[in-house]
Amino acid sequence: FDNLPLLVSAGGTTLKVWNPLNGSCVLTFRTMHAKTITSICVLDIPYDEAEDDDNVANRKKRHIMTASLDGLLRIHSISNEDIAAGSLPFLHGMQFSDPLSALAISPDMSRVAIGSTTGIVTVHQRRALLSKQQDVKERREPRHGTYSYFMRGAHEKAHDPDDYLLLHQKKQKLAEYDSLLRKFRYGDALDKVLQQRQPQVVIAVIEELGKRRGLTIALSNRDEESLEAILSFTIRFIDDPKYSTYLIGVAHILCDIYGTLIGQSSVVDELFSKLRNKVTNECSAQRMLLRMLGQIDFVMTTAEIESAEEKTSRSV
């Protein structure tokens, strides 16, 4: 089978090896993966060039590499003897913390790219093959205080030309109101986001305060200046359908907390009066729309009944 192309398919945790020339299944093998296999690759790794073998096909080691949702990368042998024996011996494996979803091999079989479900891609490079005649000497750490210890690393290269250098990504800086929220300074966070005058951001902070049950804390203990900012924002956007769901609750809390202080500040009294007029006008408009909707429903229902009666009279 070394001279034939092979196709490998995976279903669940089972591998099947096919002969594409006649469409026959050569081997069915159940792997030791605990979860579904998501990606497979067939490797043709060459032997050492020093081996005397005239057949080029026999100079290759054929392996199957599988990646699964259990976070395991497994390499199996797929030689003629293995297919004849009906098994794929396990050779090597790697454990990853995240489930694996993709696997790819470079054309020269020197690099493998492994993708996980979290979006992280890891690239591994195969070590260069060493000839049998080359003597590999183990490097020993020189003793402390010697000249060799002082000069260690002086002639080493910074990095190999084939290495990939990954630049450290700078940590994204949090907005000031986000930092205040993390410190549980809810009132200061609300004041800071109101200064930006971006209603989407303000509503997002109000929603987050509601989830943390800190909206009442953020609206309490306010002076005239800080109370004016939140009241002005509420008056401006309380009739906006996108924000009314959140601002109605804010208006209720403001009335409960500062309702007894009416008459102590002319500015606050004027703002509460504007809020009342805005809510009154909006309620009147909603009631008028409901009446109009009821009238439209009555007209549509009457027309349907008359149409049904007319069809009945015609059939009779």
Side-chain angles (χ1 to χ4, degrees), residues 48-96:
D48 192 350
E49 295 179 356
E51 295 184 357
D52 297 331
D53 198 336
D54 297 333
N55 191 353
V56 178
N58 291 336
R59 296 181 182 179
K60 294 183 178 180
K61 301 177 184 178
R62 182 163 285 181
H63 301 325
I64 291 181
M65 183 180 296
T66 60
S68 172
L69 293 177
D70 57 4
L72 288 175
L73 178 70
R74 291 178 174 269
I75 301 177
H76 302 268
S77 176
I78 184 172
S79 62
N80 291 338
E81 295 78 7
D82 300 331
I83 297 177
S87 64
L88 300 178
F90 173 71
L91 301 178
H92 181 64
M94 298 176 63
Q95 176 70 49
F96 293 85

Side-chain angles (χ1 to χ4, degrees), residues 10 37 52 57 76 79 85 110 129 140 189 192 199 202 264-265 269 289:
I37 297 175
D52 297 331
H76 302 268
S79 62
S110 62
L129 297 177
R140 297 180 180 179
K192 184 60 65 175
V202 176
Q264 298 183 9
S265 173
D269 294 347
L289 291 175

Side-chain angles (χ1 to χ4, degrees), residues 1 3-9 16-27 62 83:
F1 295 97
N3 296 327
L4 297 177
L6 294 179
L7 292 179
V8 182
S9 63
K16 287 190 177 183
V17 183
W18 304 82
N19 185 353
L21 300 182
N22 55 18
S24 61
C25 181
V26 179
L27 174 63
R62 182 163 285 181
I83 297 177

